[in-house]
Amino acid sequence: MESLPLKQSKPEEEVEQQTFIAFARVYSGVVKKGQRVFVLGPKYDPAQGLSMLPEGVSASDCVTEVPHLSCCSMESLYLLMGRELEELEEVPVGNVLGIGGLEESVLKSATLSTSPACPPFIPLNFEATPIVRVAIEPKHPSEMPKLVRGMRLLNQADPCAEVLIQETGEHVLVTAGEVHLQRCLDDLRDRFAKIEISASKPIIPFRETVVRPPKVDMVNEDLGKQHKVAIIHQVSQPHIH
């Protein structure tokens, strides 16, 4: 990481602003600032994409008709230095970096490639499953658009949170626990929606149940049949002295 070229120019006054930074790793090639790439969703099929795209297509061409495929520009590359970000011009293979400018193209996770023939990586799996759900509404009904935008940003920023809209129009937030829930509510109030919200009491579904045991164990049943056949075959053989 020490050999990466860093930008030496720094502004005289540092202005704090909030933006989405994608956490990524380079598996092949060199990533350059401003480079246009294909954004491959987890459900993207390379065979279908190649059959629908013209031969020799590049990420500079606008692609909209292929499912789970889009294009974007990597506007900024960052070296993650704790709480600070060092802007970079390019990042070689094997390094971890931050990418700016993907908030309109990536929701949870995606694969970036300069070729549409690249198979996408599987989505990231997390051990914590969101099970604690609450219904959220703004204290002032006129601020509903701000709540919708804030929940969309929260859903994009937190990989363990889920945002649902019921058929009745109720907005539901699903989190991994009570501490995670409180963190998400604070982020909605202070960072994403920046409005006063009210949340219902947490609801935790119980998914345990009681079922009747199976009457026939298929594995032991098959093993029992083989054992009986072996015994019958052994008894049926004549003994000659």
Side-chain angles (χ1 to χ4, degrees):
M1 298 292 287
E2 296 177 354
S3 62
L4 299 181
L6 303 180
K7 292 191 69 174
Q8 301 295 335
S9 59
K10 294 184 179 179
E12 297 180 358
E13 296 181 359
E14 294 183 358
V15 179
E16 183 179 355
Q17 59 181 359
Q18 295 185 0
T19 182
F20 279 99
I21 303 296
F23 183 77
R25 181 180 180 183
V26 185
Y27 282 91
S28 177
V30 179
V31 179
K32 298 182 180 181
K33 180 180 177 180
Q35 185 179 15
R36 278 191 71 82
V37 292
F38 290 105
V39 181
L40 314 177
K43 297 182 180 179
Y44 171 72
D45 184 7
Q48 182 184 13
L50 292 177
S51 63
M52 299 178 63
L53 293 173
E55 186 176 356
V57 66
S58 64
S60 301
D61 305 323
C62 183
V63 180
T64 57
E65 67 275 4
V66 181
H68 309 290
L69 177 67
S70 60
C71 298
C72 72
S73 297
M74 292 181 287
E75 300 176 358
S76 304
L77 304 179
Y78 299 100
L79 173 64
L80 306 176
M81 296 290 292
R83 300 182 62 180
E84 297 180 356
L85 298 175
E86 293 288 342
E87 194 165 359
L88 307 174
E89 291 294 332
E90 62 181 24
V91 180
V93 61
N95 288 300
V96 175
L97 74 155
I99 304 177
L102 302 181
E103 58 270 10
E104 300 296 333
S105 304
V106 179
L107 179 59
K108 293 286 188 180
S109 64
T111 303
L112 306 181
S113 174
T114 56
S115 172
C118 175
F121 291 106
I122 61 175
L124 299 176
N125 295 323
F126 299 92
E127 296 295 334
T129 303
I131 57 174
V132 181
R133 60 174 59 203
V134 293
I136 299 178
E137 61 181 8
K139 288 190 175 181
H140 303 288
S142 60
E143 294 179 333
M144 178 60 75
K146 294 183 179 180
L147 176 63
V148 174
R149 180 179 179 275
M151 294 189 71
R152 180 179 63 84
L153 295 177
L154 175 64
N155 184 40
Q156 190 175 20
D158 195 327
C160 292
E162 294 182 2
V163 174
L164 308 174
I165 300 179
Q166 303 291 352
E167 297 179 354
T168 58
E170 187 178 45
H171 291 77
V172 177
L173 174 64
V174 190
T175 60
E178 294 183 359
V179 177
H180 186 211
L181 171 63
Q182 188 61 42
R183 175 69 185 185
C184 291
L185 294 178
D186 293 341
D187 286 341
L188 270 179
R189 294 190 184 98
D190 303 333
R191 300 182 62 184
F192 300 127
K194 295 182 179 180
I195 60 173
E196 291 296 326
I197 60 176
S198 59
S200 65
K201 293 183 179 181
I203 300 175
I204 303 177
F206 292 93
R207 299 177 181 176
E208 295 84 3
T209 184
V210 177
V211 296
R212 293 180 178 273
K215 297 181 179 179
V216 179
D217 191 340
M218 299 304 297
V219 177
N220 291 340
E221 187 73 16
D222 292 338
L223 291 176
K225 289 182 180 179
Q226 295 177 5
H227 184 63
K228 291 179 181 178
V229 171
I231 293 177
I232 295 175
H233 181 70
Q234 183 177 1
V235 172
S236 61
Q237 290 182 352
H239 297 277
I240 302 176
H241 297 282

